Amino acid sequence: MRTQFLIGVAAAAIMLPGAAYAQSTGTADFEGDIVITATKTKGVGGVVIPDTPKTKVQLDQAFIARQTPGQSIDEIINSLPGVSFQSQDPYGSSGGRLTIRGFGPDRISQTVDGIPLNDTGNYAIYSNQQIDPELIDSVNVSLGSTDVDSPTASASGSTVNYRTITPTDKFGVRLVGSIGDLNYFRVFGLVNTGTFTSFGTKAWFSATSATNNVLFSNFGQINKNAYNFKIYQPLGSNGDFIAVAGNWNVNRNTNTPDYPLRLDPTRVVGSGTGNRFPRNFDEAWLHTSPCQTAAARPGVADTPNTCGTLFEQNVNPSNTGSLRFSSRFTLAHGLVLTVDPTIQYVKANGGLYGVVGREQAGPAGRYGFIGGTYYTGVDLNGDGDTLDRVELDGTSQTITHRYTILSSLRWDITDTQTFRLTYTHDYGRHRQTGELGKLQANGQPFDVFPINSPIAAANGGLMEKRNRKSYAVLDQVSGEYRGEFGGLTVNLGVRAPWFKRNLHQNCFTTSASGFVDCIAGTSADVAAYATANPYSYNATTNVVTGYQAPQFRQFTYNRVLPSAGLTYKLGGGLSVYASYSKGLQVPGTDNLYQQFYYPVGVGTPKPETTDNFDAGVRYSTSKVQAFVGGWYTIFTNRLASSYDPVLDQTVYRNLGKVDKYGVDASISYRPIEQLTLYAFGSYLKSKIKDDVLGGVCSASNVTYHTFGCSTAGADYYLRTAGKREAGAPTYTLGARAQVDVDPFELGMQVKRTGPRYVNDQNVPIYSSIDTGNPTTTVLYGAKTPAYTVVDLDARLNLGFLGLNKTTYFQVNVTNLFNQFYVGNLGNPNSSYTSVPFAYLGSPRTASVSLNVQF
């Protein structure tokens, strides 16, 4: 670990009054902030149990600030019931996988200041692109439902909502410097301007830079730079305001190695599909070394080597930014309007370098990406001939422009009766391309974004492995009523989203899996390829011949989604609650593009719907925040998806109907001022109702009677009925204890994550489909083992030196006992012969930070 410390100055940020625990300004205004009274408390140890009909749990800065500086907020909420997060990076600048009540990241709506952060194409959550934890006032997790004005197509399950801090009235500066294992070095700076106009205008500005080495590799680095601001203008004295906030995040992350989940002793540790997962932290990790691409030789048909082809030799770059506006206007007594518009931008890519480009023309003298091969017709390596096959950068490029507006009109009918009407519009332009770029001699690209300088074919056409443009549009109207009748509060709501997906496929669709041929050249070249591969479809046999030509399709989905809930105060801080909500997930664009292989209307996926039920008991005082609740979710048209980082494609599977249910609970207790105790836990059960169509019986299946096959050509089904969904822990348990005896503060937290099934049949992974054959090998067990991670944090407050009381040293140690475990289980599916890829959990990592404020 580096031994120097970065010393700086800073000022503490004053947070919003109470805890704004909802998504948008309108929802925060409707539900109201928590106020410190005899029966309502800001929280105990940074944990808050909001008094709403839905199961919500919140963490505020008192908890967030104890975690490793720079850590992703998705890792921090791993200390909440029902939440499970596995990260590829102990410092939060790389990726990870979030699940809540077994809902994967593509079913969790994540927002900042009410603005949606999920990818518009596949609904993914990018945990490494979240805002710095020092800037987050509070994070609220709704464990099984969403708010009525949520602008999301993906929240069939839970929501994660966090809000940024409000500028302070007084000038102040804050600087945090951190160093740690893996050459971790981070600097965070925050300046509060204080009130600087006679109208009360105030603002803050921040900047962050963080770097660390990649785990389990001696190649590359993780780099993150982020810039944020917020300008706040109060309007009068009744809480009205206008605010604008901005974020710019630049990541240049070398991939963390992932490994096939197999323990075959004849294999070696590595990320290739034929390699295996390691057994402990003591094995040889540094299998990625500097390399040189194959030398070019004039007049010789050169062939490429493997330099640059490993997953961990590739950079996963992203530039993301947003401008977020929020406002509140009192139009008349009891009539309040809120408006939250935003603009977002994303430029990112992923996939692999080292794809092979051919300098020759393709079949029939054509150029482009044809049959999985790049035919360019140009001298790619500069040796003067066109005989070679050359390694190139073939990553997948995405550029997104997104515009969203959330508006809400609240009417206080009486002191106890409130109604609001909302309108939401979300417009995303999602451009997905696959340009080629050249690699340097060391296997690294000249430009991490090939789109900046793409390779053209001999006929001048652009070389691309995909070329599509999508418009994801949502228009939604919703209404919500709240009535207070003594100790009983009733909430009734309904939202009516109208989703539209306008999809432009500019390549030929060649399979039901979404494979494409992209022809470089003019429209005449494209037309000639269509003539050479005429498309036909047999409606009786469902058989396709030829290729679907480039085309446009539009998909629309709409539903009326009711919700209802109640809370009843029993007195003494005790209350009960119950709620019902209807959820909806619209198919992602990747799935919809696969439908282009068939005629319009054939096999079009239906939206997934959920019926969510929650009920529980809460206890809230100045010393205790606690709840226990049960839940039940019924899925219809359950669509499962997972991302394969090696193939760089999303794999979809339909599980039909699925029931999920469980119990969540937590308690935060402060028996004395110097001691805070916190414990939480969850149990999850899911049951797939039907067997899943697996494919068509082959002659080999019939010979060995696998999959119950007796007739070649007949359909076979995977035995998923009655089984649990793969990838979600069966239970989680955790606790935290914090002791504060000035000038020392010591905290320790523990999280045990239960086993996760590796496929939806809940059986081991086999080397072949013939489990009755003696030569069949068990590659991995039916589930990953449970694991326990312990983290430690300690502070030394430097007020005794005459410094500001908020100036301190902080030490953080994650995975204190160096627990070895399977981390992010990236692509579990239904088949018991499909080997998922997984990441290792982070080993023990220590960092030291200095926070100085004035």
Side-chain angles (χ1 to χ4, degrees), residues 61 64 73 131-139 162-163 165:
Q61 265 291 324
I64 296 171
I73 193 64
I131 286 177
D132 298 292
E134 292 91 344
L135 302 176
I136 297 175
D137 170 59
S138 60
V139 55
Y162 63 90
R163 297 184 69 85
I165 60 176

Side-chain angles (χ1 to χ4, degrees), residues 378-713:
V378 298
D379 181 6
L380 296 170
N381 57 9
D383 64 357
D385 62 45
T386 55
L387 304 172
D388 312 321
R389 292 185 294 132
V390 180
E391 288 174 9
L392 301 169
D393 178 358
T395 50
S396 301
Q397 181 74 52
T398 298
I399 296 179
T400 301
H401 295 85
R402 190 172 190 175
Y403 311 94
T404 308
I405 184 167
L406 289 78
S407 59
S408 172
L409 183 64
R410 174 174 62 85
W411 176 33
D412 293 333
I413 306 168
T414 69
D415 290 342
T416 59
Q417 313 289 310
T418 303
F419 174 78
R420 71 161 171 155
L421 181 67
T422 75
Y423 170 70
T424 299
H425 178 71
D426 188 30
Y427 175 95
R429 181 187 184 275
H430 199 65
R431 189 74 169 94
Q432 296 174 298
T433 56
E435 294 84 359
L436 288 176
K438 292 186 177 182
L439 296 179
Q440 304 176 64
N442 64 357
Q444 295 299 291
F446 287 96
D447 190 323
V448 294
F449 292 116
I451 194 174
N452 293 343
S453 183
I455 294 174
N459 62 3
L462 198 61
M463 293 291 304
E464 297 196 84
K465 70 174 181 182
R466 66 176 186 175
N467 182 4
R468 59 201 197 195
K469 180 169 59 177
S470 312
Y471 295 88
V473 183
L474 163 67
D475 286 286
Q476 176 176 275
V477 177
S478 60
E480 187 172 12
Y481 163 82
R482 183 183 66 211
E484 299 176 13
F485 307 92
L488 176 67
T489 300
V490 176
N491 286 73
L492 300 174
V494 62
R495 63 186 181 108
W498 181 279
F499 296 97
K500 185 166 60 176
R501 298 292 183 261
N502 295 332
L503 308 184
H504 300 259
Q505 173 60 274
N506 299 315
C507 296
F508 288 82
T509 306
T510 63
S511 78
S513 300
F515 289 104
V516 296
D517 284 358
C518 300
I519 305 303
T522 64
S523 57
D525 296 313
V526 174
Y529 194 72
T531 301
N533 298 276
Y535 177 86
S536 68
Y537 171 73
N538 188 315
T540 302
T541 62
N542 202 38
V543 172
V544 171
T545 58
Y547 303 152
Q548 275 277 28
Q551 60 188 274
F552 164 79
R553 292 189 185 182
Q554 183 180 88
F555 300 84
T556 58
Y557 301 92
N558 58 87
R559 286 288 191 278
V560 175
L561 306 172
S563 62
L566 58 85
T567 59
Y568 186 73
K569 294 179 173 59
L570 301 173
L574 192 65
S575 65
V576 295
Y577 68 93
S579 68
Y580 163 79
S581 64
K582 188 83 170 180
L584 175 71
Q585 171 150 344
V586 173
T589 57
D590 289 339
N591 189 21
L592 293 174
Y593 275 114
Q594 292 181 8
Q595 305 310 308
F596 278 55
Y597 187 61
Y598 297 100
V600 174
V602 176
T604 302
K606 298 178 180 179
E608 173 184 296
T609 59
T610 58
D611 292 279
N612 308 301
F613 301 87
D614 270 282
V617 180
R618 297 190 182 100
Y619 182 65
S620 178
T621 70
S622 60
K623 287 192 172 183
V624 178
Q625 291 274 288
F627 89 99
V628 59
W631 60 276
Y632 199 104
T633 295
I634 302 171
F635 283 88
T636 304
N637 298 321
R638 173 74 159 93
L639 181 68
S641 63
S642 58
Y643 179 71
D644 189 320
V646 175
L647 297 178
D648 184 34
Q649 68 180 28
T650 301
V651 180
Y652 292 89
R653 64 195 194 280
N654 192 314
L655 301 186
K657 293 184 178 180
V658 179
D659 287 355
K660 303 174 74 162
Y661 50 90
V663 177
D664 303 312
S666 76
I667 179 170
S668 184
Y669 176 46
R670 184 185 291 118
I672 58 176
E673 190 64 29
Q674 295 79 16
L675 176 64
T676 304
L677 303 173
Y678 171 56
F680 62 94
S682 296
Y683 171 77
L684 166 66
K685 172 69 174 177
S686 62
K687 182 180 291 187
I688 303 170
K689 291 294 188 178
D690 306 305
D691 286 337
V692 176
L693 180 63
V696 178
C697 291
S698 66
S700 176
N701 298 151
V702 174
T703 299
Y704 293 105
H705 304 291
T706 53
F707 301 131
C709 286
S710 59
T711 304

